[in-house]
Amino acid sequence: HCLDYGDAGSRKSTFAATFPKPMNVFFFDPIGKETPYLRQGNPTEIYTNDQYGIYSRDVLNDAGELLIRIEYFGDVDIKHPTGYKAFLARMQDFYSELDQWATAAVDSITFMEFGARKYEQYVLNPKTKDRRQWWGGSTDSVEEMLQGSFGAMPINVVVIAHVDEDKDEFNGMIMRKPKAPGRLSKGLAAGYSEVYHSYVFRDAEGNRQYALQTQPDQMWIAESQINAPDPSWPDYEALWNKN
């Protein structure tokens, strides 16, 4: 179970796409950012999943077998949101499908929380003017999903997050950590055995390289129960390479 966070362009989704297949991607980010998953095989056209009222897309291998299913939960009409409600309904069925999947991915927490908050604002609590109720409702729901449901799944799980900052009052330093709403900003990382920081650096020849930080330092939160190399190349197989 992996929580991977990093700045834009650090190839978090590219790393997630290397996890074992078949994979189901719960995709909340804007359309176009799913490209790393599409590159894993032969993508179909986007189709409508009438059962949940969402768009979906499959990525197949050369034999026509399913590698990745991308399920889109973003809302075109943001003031009449349906995406997060569809996600909650989809999850009820996904629990009975766990034996069909090797990996479940959430991409990303930022837009997952946004969808949950708009659902609170425009559907569940449209009359309240207290924004704290919307934020509180979305935090509760995202917490249940990420700390509860996904955290307990007996398959591979990879969750994508952006970067947040927090001041260490004792040491007076700024710590970087996964970005999550409300109380999850402090507790989210505790729910995952693998917490990685995706980053970019220049090698000795000046070429751009991408890597995973798997152990903590004075600036970044990270940990690995499988003793993944630090740093590690952003590929699932590289996590197990002890050489």
Side-chain angles (χ1 to χ4, degrees):
H1 284 195
C2 178
L3 172 64
D4 182 35
Y5 72 108
D7 292 316
S10 57
R11 296 194 175 178
K12 300 180 293 296
S13 298
T14 300
F15 167 57
T18 69
F19 270 61
K21 313 299 188 295
M23 171 189 293
N24 196 99
V25 181
F26 298 89
F27 194 76
F28 293 87
D29 274 15
I31 286 181
K33 300 190 74 173
E34 78 278 33
T35 302
Y37 303 103
L38 303 180
R39 289 175 176 158
Q40 293 291 307
N42 306 308
T44 67
E45 296 296 325
I46 292 178
Y47 60 90
T48 302
N49 187 323
D50 292 328
Q51 182 177 358
Y52 306 105
I54 60 172
Y55 294 119
S56 297
R57 195 171 195 180
D58 293 341
V59 180
L60 312 176
N61 63 16
D62 290 339
E65 299 168 326
L66 180 66
L67 295 175
I68 301 174
R69 175 160 295 151
I70 306 169
E71 299 177 342
Y72 299 86
F73 295 100
D75 287 300
V76 176
D77 185 352
I78 199 62
K79 292 190 176 181
H80 298 87
T82 59
Y84 197 76
K85 180 180 180 180
F87 165 69
L88 295 177
R90 174 69 182 103
M91 287 300 297
Q92 293 302 310
D93 289 336
F94 190 73
Y95 300 143
S96 65
E97 299 175 9
L98 292 175
D99 60 340
Q100 302 175 30
W101 302 99
T103 301
V106 176
D107 198 345
S108 64
I109 295 176
T110 301
F111 287 92
M112 179 187 188
E113 187 282 326
F114 178 76
R117 180 158 34 94
K118 294 299 134 178
Y119 182 52
E120 288 283 338
Q121 178 177 351
Y122 292 115
V123 178
L124 298 183
N125 295 289
K127 295 183 179 180
T128 183
K129 301 301 181 182
D130 187 349
R131 292 171 176 255
R132 292 174 298 179
Q133 188 166 345
W134 304 332
W135 282 97
S138 67
T139 299
D140 284 347
S141 184
V142 170
E143 181 181 47
E144 288 179 356
M145 289 294 108
L146 297 183
Q147 299 290 74
S149 296
F150 283 95
M153 287 182 184
I155 59 175
N156 295 290
V157 172
V158 55
V159 175
I160 302 300
H162 295 95
V163 177
D164 199 2
E165 295 182 346
D166 191 19
K167 186 174 181 179
D168 184 336
E169 298 293 343
F170 182 76
N171 295 306
M173 300 180 65
I174 299 297
M175 289 291 296
R176 276 77 178 182
K177 59 184 181 179
K179 184 177 180 63
R183 59 185 175 273
L184 271 181
S185 65
K186 294 186 180 295
L188 179 63
Y192 289 80
S193 60
E194 305 299 303
V195 180
Y196 303 153
H197 163 228
S198 288
Y199 66 99
V200 189
F201 68 97
R202 295 278 184 178
D203 62 19
E205 287 73 39
N207 299 312
R208 185 180 293 108
Q209 301 289 346
Y210 298 86
L212 298 172
Q213 177 181 343
T214 66
Q215 295 296 328
D217 58 23
Q218 67 274 19
M219 291 182 60
W220 300 94
I221 292 174
E223 70 170 321
S224 176
Q225 302 299 323
I226 64 171
N227 295 321
D230 183 37
S232 178
W233 296 115
D235 186 282
Y236 178 83
E237 294 298 332
L239 303 177
W240 309 93
N241 182 9
K242 307 306 181 185
N243 296 326

